[in-house]
Amino acid sequence: MTQETERMPVVPVFGEIIHPEIAGLEKPLTNIASQIKDSGVTYDLIVCDDTSGRIPALALRKILAFLSEDQKNPDLVFISKPTGLERFDCIVNNFSAKSRKVLIATEYSAHGNTVMKLHKTLRKRDYEAIDIAIVGCMIDEESFKWVFSPDTVIYIGMNKLPWGIWNNEKITGLNRYTFKPNKDAGHQIARNDVNNLAMRVLANLQQFPA
């Protein structure tokens, strides 16, 4: 007869985050992930509204997968302005799910204009929920809420703007103005940083991947 032992969670192994710009996202993303975890909502589609939002969106995708019961990655759509909103329907129509819970993910919002336009576009579709995650925001949550539907949940990581990712194509891997990919070696380092960032946030939440 063998004695069963309790299965212990595996502590995530992560390395150093090389880019300080990405390392600076750990605290605000932990705040956002903690709010989402407490809400109990499982998002199955993340919409990233600009090039600089790619880094937090990619990290959130990994984080939300571990927070969900089935540990399935949410679908992820990148929208690069100004033509991205026009192409949005074509992109999302490729997904089969009809009723979805959507999370708009953005790195920063100084005035909220881009997020508002994207939210308005998404509301034309029959989604179950359309919520917003903003890493750094200069507008408080209450000021934001009056322009969105009453049931929109807004997660804010910190009340200041993030430093250094905006317009840094070596980190985002995409030129902000031409939208052409940047194959610089630094982008691969940034991808490794995103994995380490996600694992650090999960460790902060004590939500360890099995």
Side-chain angles (χ1 to χ4, degrees), residues 55 89 166:
I55 298 300
D89 279 342
W166 183 86

Side-chain angles (χ1 to χ4, degrees), residues 138-171:
M138 297 299 291
I139 307 172
D140 63 84
E141 183 180 346
E142 292 304 315
S143 298
F144 248 132
K145 278 188 172 180
W146 72 272
V147 297
F148 298 109
S149 57
D151 56 348
T152 298
V153 179
I154 302 172
Y155 309 104
I156 296 177
M158 61 182 178
N159 291 117
K160 61 179 181 179
L161 300 184
W163 167 73
I165 295 181
W166 183 86
N167 204 29
N168 190 334
E169 62 186 80
K170 290 185 178 181
I171 293 180

Side-chain angles (χ1 to χ4, degrees), residues 4 10 28 49-50 62 81 83 86-87 91 94 105 112-113 127 136 141 148 161 165-166 178 184 190 196 210:
E4 290 188 3
V10 178
D49 80 322
D50 213 330
K62 295 177 181 295
K81 63 180 182 182
T83 59
E86 298 172 5
R87 297 176 57 244
I91 296 171
N94 291 328
N113 294 334
Y127 289 124
E141 183 180 346
F148 298 109
L161 300 184
I165 295 181
W166 183 86
T178 65
D184 187 278
N196 289 328

Side-chain angles (χ1 to χ4, degrees), residues 25 28-29 32 48-57 60 81 104-116 118 132-139 144 154-168 172 176-177:
L25 299 178
L29 277 184
I32 290 172
C48 168
D49 80 322
D50 213 330
T51 50
S52 61
R54 286 170 175 258
I55 298 300
L60 271 173
K81 63 180 182 182
I104 299 172
T106 187
E107 182 201 12
Y108 72 94
S109 184
H111 306 290
N113 294 334
T114 303
V115 174
M116 282 185 250
L118 181 53
I132 304 167
I134 306 172
V135 174
C137 184
M138 297 299 291
I139 307 172
F144 248 132
I154 302 172
Y155 309 104
I156 296 177
M158 61 182 178
N159 291 117
K160 61 179 181 179
L161 300 184
W163 167 73
I165 295 181
W166 183 86
N167 204 29
N168 190 334
T172 65
R176 180 180 177 84
Y177 302 104

Side-chain angles (χ1 to χ4, degrees), residues 59-75:
L60 271 173
R61 188 187 193 201
K62 295 177 181 295
I63 294 163
L64 296 185
F66 285 117
L67 292 180
S68 66
E69 291 184 3
D70 58 6
Q71 295 198 340
K72 179 183 177 182
N73 278 327
D75 289 322

Side-chain angles (χ1 to χ4, degrees), residues 6 21 23 29 32 46 50 58 109 120 183 186:
E6 183 180 356
E21 301 91 337
L29 277 184
I32 290 172
I46 299 175
D50 213 330
L58 287 166
S109 184
K120 183 178 179 180
K183 298 182 180 180

